[in-house]
Every structure is written in C-alpha cells, then in structure tokens.
Amino acid sequence: MTMEQTSTSALNTAVAATQRQALFNHEEARYLRRKATGTFMVGLLTTLTALSVLILFIIVAYITISGIGGIDLAFFIDTPKPLGETGGGIAQAILGTFEMLIVGALIAIPVGVGTAIYMAEYAQGRLASIVRFCLELLASLPSIVIGVFVWAVVVRTFHSFSGIAGAIALAFIMIPIIARSVEEILRLVPNSLREAGLALGVPRWRVIIGVVIPTVLPGIVTGIVLSIARAAGETAPLLLTSLGNEFFNFDLSKPMAAIPLQIYNYATSPYDDWHKKAWAATLVLVIVVAIFSGAIRFTMRKFRYVR
Amino acid sequence: MSNRKLLAAVASTFFLSLSIGFAFAQDATPEATPIAGSGMVTGPMEGEAQSLNGAGATFPQVLYTTWFSDYAKLTNVQINYQGIGSGGGIKGVTDGTLDFGASDAPMNDKQLEDAKATCGGNILHIATALGGVVVTYNIPELDASAEALKFTPDTLAAIYAGTITNWKDEKLVADNPSLAEVDQPIAVIHRSDGSGTSNIFTSYLKAVNTDWATNVGAGTSVNWPTGIGQKGNAGIAGAIKGVPYSLGYVELAYAEQNNLPEALIKNAAGSFVGATGDSVTAAAAGVALPDDMRIMIVNGEGEATYPIAGFTWLLVCENQTDAAKATTLTRMLWWAIHDGQAYNQKLGYSPLPDAAIKADEAQILKIMVDGKQALPAGIAQ
Amino acid sequence: MAASSPSIANEPSTRRAERSFRSVVLIAAISMIVLLVGVIIILYLDARPAIERYGFSFLITSDWDPVFENFGAAPYIFGTIVTSVLALLLATPFAVGAALFISEYAPKTVGGILSFIIELLVAIPSVGFGLWGLYVLAPFMRSTVDPFLRNVIGPIPIIGELFKGPTIGQDLLTASVILAIMILPTILSISREIIAQVPRLQKEGMLALGATKWEMLRMAVLPYAWGGIIGAAMLGLARAIGETMAVTMVIGNSSRAITPSLFTPGYTIASAIANQFTEADSEIYFSAIVELGLVLLLVSAVFNIIARLLVRRMNRQPGGAQAQ
C-alpha cells in the first residue's frame, strides 16, 4: 500500500474505533438506564404492594382489637340476650348467613358463569356489548336499590319477608361480579387452544367445558369467591328482604337472620357492650370468609396450568 | 389424591359444625316462667300463634327486643322485631308483610286512607313508651362537674338556623356565663338519615319558633340550613365526642350511655328542665290525648315537663284476619302497656302516664277478628 | 371427499347437545338484559310522580327539601362523580402495581399469601369499614393528612383549590380514600388473574430479545392484559358508585354547596337513598328517592360509555375468544 492509503486506512480504523467506542458507550448508557428503570420499578411495585398489605393489617388489627374481647363459645351457639344480661351470641345469624349465601350462590354461579360463557364464546360483538353494559350497570346499583327491587317483586307479592328473598337479593349482587370477571378471564384463553380442540373433532361445547374452563379454573374460582365474600358483608339488601330474626329459623319462607344485620343492630345501639359485640361479629365474619376462601384457594393451587 | 381428601375434610368439618349448631338450636326453646305481678298474661295460651314478625322504628328497638325476649320466656311465643325504620314499619303493616309495625311519627291522614284498602280498616296507634331528645355538646373548657348549659327555644332555633354561630354569642352567654370566654364557632351536627328523633326535634323547633316553621318545618328529614349530618344516634354521639365545640341532639339513652353532657331546655312554663324519666313522662301528662293517640307532645305544659319528647307507637290493623295471630298480638300489646312499662326506665325510655295507658287499653279492645273482640276474655280485668 | 365428514361433531345427538348448551347459556345472558330492564321499569313506575313534577330541574338544582317538597339532586350527583372517580384514580395504581408484583416478581407461595391477605378486605362488611372510617380514618385525616395537603399543595395555583378550607375529617376526600380501600381488592384480584393468563410465549419471547423484566412487562404483558384490567377497574368503579354504608359515615352528609375543595362535606346518591328511603313518608318524597336510583343508573351508564370509548382508542387485546 502507499503511504496515503495506509494513513487513510489507519484513519478509517481510528474513526471506526471511535465510533464503535461511542456506540458502545451509548449502548452501555442506555443499558444502565434500562436497568435502573427496571430496579426502580421493582422498588415501586414492592412499595405499592406493601402499602396495600399495610392498610389491610391496620384495619384487621383494629377490628381484632375491638372485637376479640367479645368472642367466646356462647357467641357461636347462643341467640342474642337482652341488654344487661351477659353472654348471648349470634348463632342464628351465623346459620342464616350460611344458608342464604349457599342458596344465593347456587342461583348466582350457574347464571353468572353461563352468561360469561355466552359472552366470551358465542356472542357476536353487539349482543356481548349490550349484555356487558347491562352487567356493569347492575353491578353499580347500590345494594339498597337491589333490596328495594327484590322487596317489590318478592316480598310484596308473597306478603312476607323471607330468607329466600334475602338469598335472591344476595344472588343479584353476586351475579354481575361473577359474570364480568369470568368473562374477562375466558377471553384471555388463546384461540389456538380452542381451535386445537375443534380440529380434533370435539364439539364446541365440550371444548368449552373440557378445555377452556379447566385452563382458567382458578381464575373462575377467584371470581366466585370474590362475589361470595362481597355478598356476605351486605346489610342493606337483607334489611328489606330477609328482615332479620332474633330467633333461630331455618325456614326460607320466613324472616332469617344474618351476620351483617346483627352487626348493624349492635353497632347502632347506644351500649358499649353491644358495640363490642358488633366488632366481634365483624371479626367472625372476616374469619369465616377468610377460612372459606383460603380453603378453596389452597385446594386449587395445583390447578394452575403451565403454558 | 390429597386435594380431594383435603376438600372432603373441610366439607365434613363444615357440615359437622352446622349440625352442632342445629343441635343447639333445638335446645334453645326457653322455659316458661311467669313474671311476678302481672295478673293478666301469666303464661302460654292454647291456640295462640307461636311467632309474630314486626318491624319499624329503630328508636324503641332495644326496648322491644328486651320485652320480647322475656315475653318468650313467659309464653313460649317468639316475637321477632327488627329496626328497619319507621317508614318500613308503616309500609309493612300497611301491605300485610308484617304482623305489626312500629313508628316514631304518627301516620298522616293520607297514609291511613291508603292503608284502609289493604288492611281492611284503620291502623291503630298503640303508644308504648316515651322518649326524650337531649341536646348535647362538647366544650373542652367545661369539665364534667360544670353546670349544664341552658338553651331557650330561641337560642336553639337560632343555632340550628345558622344565625348564632359562635359559642361566645351574647344570647348564649346571657343564660350561660361560663361561655363568655369560649370564642369558637359552633360545629352544628344533625341527622343525615330520616329519623323519628329528628322528627321530634324539628317538631319542637317548629312549635316554638315561627322562623323555623316558615323556613324549615318539621319532618323525619328536613333541609337543614347548617351543620353536618351523621348517620344514626350512634353517629351523632360519636361526632360529639370527637369534634370539639360541637352541638347535636340524641336520644336520652345515647346521652346516658356515652356520658354526654345534657343541656337544660326552657320549657313552656319558663323553667329550665333536663331530660329525665319523670320529666319526659310529664311531657305526656300535660297534653290532652286524642282517642287515636296520634299526637306530637313537644313543648307541653307543666313546670316539670321536658319540652322535647315524643311517643313511640306500635301499629296494628284494627281488623285482623288470623284468629291465632290476633290472640297473640292483643295479649302481647296488653302485656306491653302494663307489665312492659317496668322495663322502660332502666333502658333509657320513659314509662307511659296513666292517661296514655287508659287510651291504649281502649284501642286494644277495638281490635277485631271474625267480628269479635280479639283480646281473650279475662285479660282486661 | 364427502361434504360432511363422519366425525362425532356432526352426529345429530352432538348437534342437539350443542344446541341445548348454547340455548342454556344464551338464556343466562338474556336474563341479564331482562333483569336490568325489569329494574328500570320498577324504578320508573315508582319514580314517575317525581319525574313528572320536577323534570330536568331535578338534575341541576341544589335544594333538597322534603318538608317543602323541593327536590334537586345536583349535589348528590356531584358527590357521586367526584368520590368514585377519585377512588378509582387512587386505587388503580396500587391494585395494578400489586397485581404485577404478586404475579411476576414474588415467589409463588409468597404471592399466594399476599393476594389472600389483600382479598380479606373484601370480607369486611361495609358497616365495619364505615365504623373504622368514622373512628380511625376521619380523625387521622383531620389531624395529619389534611393539614399536610393544605400546606403543601394548597398554595399551588389551580390544583391548590382542591385543598382549601377548614376540615373536620368528614368530607369528599375521606370518602374517596375509604372507597379506594374498598375497591382495591376487587381490581387487584381480577387483574392478578388476568396477568397470570398472559402466555409464557409472549413473555419469554420478549426476554429472549434482551428486554429487562420491566420492559417485558410493559411491552408484552400489559398490552395483552390491558383490556381485562380495564374490566376489573370498571367493576371496582361500579362498587364505588353504589357503596352506601361506609361512605355515609365519613362524607359529612351535607348537600348545600358545590365547591371545588375536597375538604367540603358532601353527599352521594347512594348514601342519600340509603339514609332516606326507609323514612320517606310522603308519596312525592318516596318518588324522589326512587328517581335518585334512576339517576344513579344514568351516571353509571355515562361512565361506562366514556370508558368504552377510551378502551376503543387503546385497542382491544389480542388472542381473546372473540375478535371485536
């Protein structure tokens, strides 16, 4: 090579080296920035989660401290005693809540899941949109309005406050939650899964029941548990439908007690002793729902399919 | 599979505990023990309905549930009462979804007219107790031993109308020298929910102050000119305790149970009176009671009368359709206005004066089923 | 080849089963529409006297007077909108953030425990929340949070208007905070399930291309899950609009002025209904309260439509059962 060519090529090499270095620096800087963002986000997300958990601890701690003094065996097996007498409990309310929740869930789960299946699997865009709209409006109804509706349709017609009216009101509260959450979850199952089933000659409904639903079963169960937990704590709709009962009653056609109603009665009274009972009942409600949802979640933990 | 076993274990524990609950439930039938001194309802009776459902006002809820708990021990009859609000009680007894209702405010003519169609006749108002509405406050400078504050009808109405805004106002200091140094705005508190207590309180203000009558009026729910709303007596009691320099009104029972200061109110005779069992009973004694017992008794006559008081009523259909239920109902009502009154005072209510009991008796005797008097013979001795 | 292949799917019994299944779920779905229509009809019938008497002024006047029979619901509508929107804005970042953390960062058992704990919040009855709000949150807001906000943000122009004036702890802000706490677990639960559904292929593909974990979440997971998360948020919003007990205990229940400050006591439609329904003693009063229920449905419908428009602009997620 000539001198010129050598120096040009050296220059080129030098320039290229500088460019590579600059590029490398730039890349490194960018990489560091991306890494920093990632670390920052982890910190942020951890903080958000921690705060959410913290607020829960504060509330549950408050309920526990206020209520733990009122809990004894009598609380679970006795009916309320009048003021001034020690003891007494909310046994009839615990049983009433169970009975109405179970009946309500038996109504709500098929209707809610069925609606979700229709919207996610069969519906043409328009109908699905309309049904979703209806569900969201129904979900935003104040529970007292739901109570008024069931009162007008069931209680007034049959001339009696009743446990079944209460169960219907609870179902009314549960259905939109189940339907909307299950629909969203079903939507996320990739079509490839469905098509694989159909390609094997499996009828559509069996694809849904045998493939799609088991894939997202934990999610469906989460939605159901969420709705039951919510319904368990509602007072207003029960006030106008099942009325409440100071005595034991398992007959769905008669007024029935429920834990939130008992809490409301105790909490709005002037007596400190009854306020303690209100907190105790609140604590019992939280624990019962916690056990229930925990048991279901624990049972379902093996079901999360890895995809 | 361990999951199945776990689920089975959980389910069986659950059902086991449910059955234990059922078992205890069977044992919960109380023994019948007569209550001394009644002479009228002494025990169970053949043919009476074993359960009744009633609902309505929250104000007398504690009284009624206490009554019915002991009544169940006496007669084995389970009477279920729930406090869903006076309006709910009126609706329930009107359309037959309840065996009886309860209300802190008497039904108006229109409601009675409408009820005639569904109830087959009149709805009778049986007064069961009296309640006093106490004006309470929180002023940190005044400790427990300080004299109770005094309010006149005009100062009270002015505070709630928003024309008196400071504790140091000269009109307040005129009656309460201890307020002279308290230069703080008054935090006025009223009820946010519709309530019989508000009805009694606003009826009082309407009766004693023409401005209030013209601008605001009386009712379970009014357009309060000032102040913040709290839900329920419990809400007001809580707010009074928590907010310094606040003023509010609660039922006597709440003031007593929460150790809230109770103001003295100037009654129609000119004396400053506090709410006690006697002064509230006197409020009813000083008023001429109509036959149907539908009357507001605020600002009554008499030296010892507490001016902010009112009846609470049980509502029943005059013409009953179920003989067994009618028997139970009338026996319970008779017991309530006689034996039941012994419970009132210790629970924070006031017993009925004799004139009211007589008027109630006359009404209970009017209750008919199948054309005959429903109250069993031998009770109304 | 034969036009219809001899597979199980084409046998008459299967076709029958398919048709029955489809009809059953169709009936379930249609019953939702029927239910809503039924509710609207019943509400309308009871509300008609008030609608006829007050007309449009019901929505824009501020006077709510049962004694003199003037009913204007504007403060209630304002309170409902403010508290539910604010509650949603407060709750969503926490809910989605925690959902991401639990699904993607936390080890499986820890994640399970965390989500279980947070979902306990749903079990707490509204009455419990209300009492906690009254005795703990409201005093805390009055003594600590409100002065802080007033001193730090108050002086800033425009935004500062939100935090002006004296406070007793019971106001729109406290009500929004308690609503946010109440709807947090709903949004979180559903979002968590949604995020867990994102196919591994998407995530691993991103990582294989050299993305950091956060970038993978941002560019692969969130876009996929976005529609579902919005759905969860709408469910949370619905709860916030309709919540009565907890709100009425901390909102101050005053329906007089509409001011920009969050420190003023306010009122929501739901708590107005709950407070006054059982004691309404005249026909027109009762009608007016039922009309409030219809107005609430209207507010909810408007929110819904706005949310849909927003979602449409952000594009629906891929891979779902029905291509929209």
Side-chain angles (χ1 to χ4, degrees):
Chain A
M1 282 196 300
T2 66
M3 272 288 264
E4 249 184 39
Q5 283 171 319
T6 322
S7 62
T8 318
S9 74
L11 189 60
N12 284 343
T13 322
V15 167
T18 322
Q19 281 177 336
R20 268 203 308 279
Q21 184 65 34
L23 201 60
F24 181 70
N25 286 344
H26 180 65
E27 275 303 317
E28 186 165 2
R30 230 180 83 180
Y31 179 66
L32 287 174
R33 204 168 50 235
R34 289 165 60 213
K35 226 170 152 201
T37 320
T39 321
F40 171 71
M41 286 316 293
V42 175
L44 180 64
L45 294 182
T46 318
T47 315
L48 291 176
T49 313
L51 286 176
S52 307
V53 174
L54 182 69
I55 200 80
L56 176 99
F57 271 137
I58 293 178
I59 299 180
V60 171
Y62 184 78
I63 295 177
T64 312
I65 295 175
S66 313
I68 198 79
I71 297 193
D72 51 15
L73 187 60
F75 200 68
F76 290 96
I77 54 182
D78 270 345
T79 47
K81 287 226 169 42
L83 193 65
E85 289 181 40
T86 50
I90 58 169
Q92 93 282 22
I94 296 177
L95 292 172
T97 291
F98 267 131
E99 195 171 337
M100 284 193 283
L101 273 181
I102 291 178
V103 174
L106 286 176
I107 302 175
I109 294 177
V111 177
V113 175
T115 307
I117 291 177
Y118 186 79
M119 285 202 290
E121 304 288 330
Y122 287 105
Q124 309 313 313
R126 216 57 207 287
L127 190 58
S129 248
I130 296 178
V131 176
R132 200 173 305 125
F133 183 68
C134 291
L135 282 171
E136 271 161 25
L137 288 196
L138 287 170
S140 72
L141 279 178
S143 48
I144 182 119
V145 174
I146 294 174
V148 171
F149 178 72
V150 179
W151 171 79
V153 169
V154 180
V155 175
R156 253 196 328 210
T157 317
F158 294 102
H159 285 288
S160 160
F161 290 92
S162 57
I164 188 69
I168 293 177
L170 291 182
F172 202 128
I173 293 178
M174 292 192 239
I175 291 177
I177 302 179
I178 296 179
R180 281 297 282 127
S181 56
V182 171
E183 187 216 345
E184 286 300 340
I185 287 167
L186 285 176
R187 280 192 173 280
L188 286 181
V189 175
N191 270 335
S192 51
L193 221 58
R194 295 183 181 84
E195 284 159 10
L198 290 170
L200 286 171
V202 179
R204 189 144 179 204
W205 65 277
R206 290 203 78 173
V207 170
I208 298 174
I209 300 212
V211 177
V212 178
I213 291 194
T215 314
V216 289
L217 195 59
I220 295 181
V221 169
T222 298
I224 294 178
V225 167
L226 203 66
S227 71
I228 293 182
R230 165 83 192 276
E234 287 289 345
T235 319
L238 293 178
L239 213 54
L240 297 175
T241 50
S242 76
L243 189 68
N245 206 324
E246 298 294 303
F247 306 97
F248 278 109
N249 171 43
F250 306 112
D251 186 346
L252 280 173
S253 67
K254 299 221 175 60
M256 194 171 272
I259 302 180
L261 291 175
Q262 215 61 39
I263 296 175
Y264 184 67
N265 285 344
Y266 282 146
T268 50
S269 74
Y271 312 104
D272 260 345
D273 182 48
W274 281 15
H275 290 169
K276 268 208 266 295
K277 285 206 165 71
W279 284 117
T282 309
L283 186 59
V284 166
L285 187 63
V286 174
I287 291 179
V288 162
V289 176
I291 293 179
F292 179 65
S293 85
I296 297 211
R297 201 176 280 287
F298 187 70
T299 320
M300 286 293 148
R301 77 196 181 291
K302 290 267 172 57
F303 276 78
R304 199 171 283 281
Y305 282 38
V306 172
R307 282 156 48 237
Chain B
M1 288 169 17
S2 68
N3 271 336
R4 284 231 176 91
K5 284 213 191 101
L6 181 67
L7 202 56
V10 169
S12 36
T13 316
F14 170 68
F15 283 112
L16 186 63
S17 28
L18 259 193
S19 355
I20 294 182
F22 277 100
F24 274 101
Q26 306 312 321
D27 283 341
T29 317
E31 286 286 312
T33 46
I35 295 182
S38 62
M40 297 181 207
V41 174
T42 48
M45 176 165 165
E46 273 295 317
E48 66 174 350
Q50 291 305 297
S51 70
L52 289 179
N53 288 304
T58 48
F59 165 62
Q61 184 168 1
V62 177
L63 181 65
Y64 292 164
T65 49
T66 311
W67 276 354
F68 299 145
S69 171
D70 276 358
Y71 194 76
K73 292 200 195 102
L74 177 67
T75 61
N76 283 341
V77 170
Q78 294 187 335
I79 304 185
N80 174 33
Y81 181 81
Q82 298 290 325
I84 63 174
S86 298
I90 293 175
K91 270 206 235 338
V93 73
T94 304
D95 55 30
T97 48
L98 295 170
D99 298 315
F100 62 94
S103 174
D104 294 333
M107 291 169 70
N108 56 38
D109 293 331
K110 174 111 195 337
Q111 286 170 321
L112 283 176
E113 261 316 302
D114 292 340
K116 284 212 176 94
T118 45
C119 195
N122 267 329
I123 292 193
L124 301 173
H125 290 59
I126 316 286
T128 51
L130 288 157
V133 178
V134 166
V135 173
T136 183
Y137 48 88
N138 176 349
I139 302 191
E141 282 87 335
L142 302 174
D143 60 18
S145 63
E147 225 181 62
L149 290 184
K150 298 190 173 82
F151 293 96
T152 67
D154 287 327
T155 52
L156 202 53
I159 294 176
Y160 269 89
T163 41
I164 294 183
T165 53
N166 195 306
W167 284 109
K168 214 175 80 161
D169 192 290
E170 53 192 15
K171 297 206 191 73
L172 292 175
V173 176
D175 294 313
N176 303 289
S178 51
L179 287 178
E181 301 304 312
V182 183
D183 186 8
Q184 296 282 347
I186 307 178
V188 177
I189 306 184
H190 56 77
R191 288 287 286 271
S192 63
D193 47 337
S195 100
T197 314
S198 286
N199 190 32
I200 297 177
F201 189 66
T202 49
S203 299
Y204 171 72
L205 292 178
K206 176 176 167 184
V208 299
N209 188 291
T210 41
D211 283 335
W212 186 272
T214 330
N215 298 331
V216 185
T220 53
S221 214
V222 301
N223 193 9
W224 299 93
T226 184
I228 59 164
Q230 295 296 319
K231 185 161 174 64
N233 281 293
I236 297 195
I240 296 282
K241 279 191 181 162
V243 179
Y245 306 111
S246 54
L247 176 83
Y249 60 90
V250 288
E251 287 158 19
L252 181 54
Y254 280 85
E256 285 176 351
Q257 290 297 323
N258 287 285
N259 292 320
L260 295 174
E262 300 169 25
L264 304 176
I265 314 286
K266 193 174 191 179
N267 65 13
S271 344
F272 284 99
V273 182
T276 63
D278 293 331
S279 63
V280 171
T281 303
V287 178
L289 299 171
D291 286 339
D292 66 357
M293 290 298 281
R294 291 164 55 213
I295 184 168
M296 298 298 292
I297 55 172
V298 291
N299 208 32
E301 299 290 326
E303 276 288 326
T305 303
Y306 185 70
I308 319 182
F311 281 121
T312 186
W313 294 268
L314 283 176
L315 306 170
V316 295
C317 275
E318 191 174 354
N319 292 332
Q320 295 283 319
T321 47
D322 182 322
K325 279 193 179 168
T327 309
T328 310
L329 194 55
T330 45
R331 272 165 39 96
M332 179 272 281
L333 288 171
W334 199 265
W335 183 89
I337 64 175
H338 295 102
D339 301 69
Q341 298 298 305
Y343 292 76
N344 290 20
Q345 193 122 354
K346 69 174 189 244
L347 292 173
Y349 306 86
S350 291
L352 298 169
D354 288 336
I357 298 184
K358 284 274 169 303
D360 279 343
E361 284 179 351
Q363 297 219 80
I364 298 177
L365 290 169
K366 276 201 242 162
I367 301 177
M368 298 286 173
V369 67
D370 298 334
K372 293 193 317 256
Q373 176 188 303
L375 184 69
I379 301 247
Q381 299 297 14
Chain C
M1 287 285 263
S4 115
S5 44
S7 77
I8 288 184
N10 283 323
E11 276 184 28
S13 61
T14 311
R15 272 203 285 259
R16 251 200 315 274
E18 172 68 29
R19 258 203 301 271
S20 332
F21 183 75
R22 190 184 172 128
S23 316
V24 164
V25 292
L26 176 65
I27 291 174
I30 303 255
S31 64
M32 292 296 105
I33 306 181
V34 169
L35 201 54
L36 183 68
V37 171
V39 170
I40 294 181
I41 291 180
I42 296 221
L43 289 183
Y44 180 73
L45 287 176
D46 279 326
R48 205 157 46 163
I51 298 178
E52 283 168 5
R53 183 151 155 192
Y54 302 107
F56 199 61
S57 70
F58 192 78
L59 297 175
I60 48 183
T61 48
S62 295
D63 198 25
W64 186 268
D65 194 332
V67 175
F68 293 108
E69 294 181 1
N70 293 321
F71 293 109
Y76 299 158
I77 300 176
F78 177 73
T80 301
I81 296 178
V82 168
T83 49
S84 19
V85 170
L86 192 54
L88 191 64
L89 290 177
L90 286 172
T92 309
F94 283 89
V96 177
L100 279 173
F101 180 81
I102 291 174
S103 296
E104 299 291 331
Y105 285 95
K108 265 196 96 181
T109 29
V110 174
I113 296 177
L114 279 178
S115 50
F116 168 68
I117 289 179
I118 298 183
E119 280 157 24
L120 277 187
L121 279 175
V122 183
I124 300 177
S126 325
V127 163
F129 266 113
L131 291 174
W132 177 80
L134 183 63
Y135 293 130
V136 176
L137 185 65
F140 177 69
M141 296 291 286
R142 180 178 79 238
S143 59
T144 315
V145 179
D146 292 347
F148 172 75
L149 289 170
R150 191 184 321 127
N151 297 332
V152 169
I153 308 194
I156 305 176
I158 301 183
I159 300 189
E161 290 305 309
L162 287 175
F163 300 112
K164 284 236 160 24
T167 82
I168 51 165
Q170 292 196 17
D171 45 37
L172 293 169
L173 182 65
T174 313
S176 308
V177 169
I178 214 170
L179 280 178
I181 299 175
M182 291 175 84
I183 68 178
L184 173 75
T186 304
I187 305 180
L188 187 145
S189 288
I190 303 177
S191 303
R192 190 180 39 78
E193 291 294 342
I194 301 274
I195 291 172
Q197 286 308 318
V198 175
R200 261 167 140 225
L201 227 51
Q202 302 265 40
K203 302 196 284 196
E204 286 170 356
M206 211 61 189
L207 291 173
L209 286 172
T212 63
K213 185 143 188 180
W214 168 244
E215 281 168 350
M216 178 265 287
L217 290 178
R218 183 164 57 87
M219 291 191 271
V221 171
L222 277 183
Y224 198 90
W226 200 232
I229 294 180
I230 300 257
M234 292 308 293
L235 217 47
L237 180 67
R239 170 119 196 236
I241 294 178
E243 177 55 45
T244 59
M245 219 40 129
V247 170
T248 190
M249 289 184 150
V250 298
I251 199 170
N253 299 305
S254 149
S255 63
R256 275 182 311 283
I258 298 184
T259 71
S261 170
L262 289 175
F263 289 158
T264 45
Y267 222 139
T268 61
I269 299 177
S271 33
I273 298 177
N275 276 337
Q276 301 181 40
F277 178 73
T278 49
E279 295 291 344
D281 45 17
S282 66
E283 197 197 331
I284 195 73
Y285 189 12
F286 178 68
S287 279
I289 295 180
V290 177
E291 190 183 345
L292 278 181
L294 279 179
V295 171
L296 189 103
L297 276 179
L298 187 67
V299 168
S300 183
V302 169
F303 270 148
N304 213 273
I305 294 175
I306 294 180
R308 269 159 205 274
L309 293 174
L310 278 174
V311 165
R312 202 159 292 172
R313 292 190 58 192
M314 289 190 207
N315 284 6
R316 290 286 284 172
Q317 83 284 14
Q322 298 288 323
Q324 293 296 328

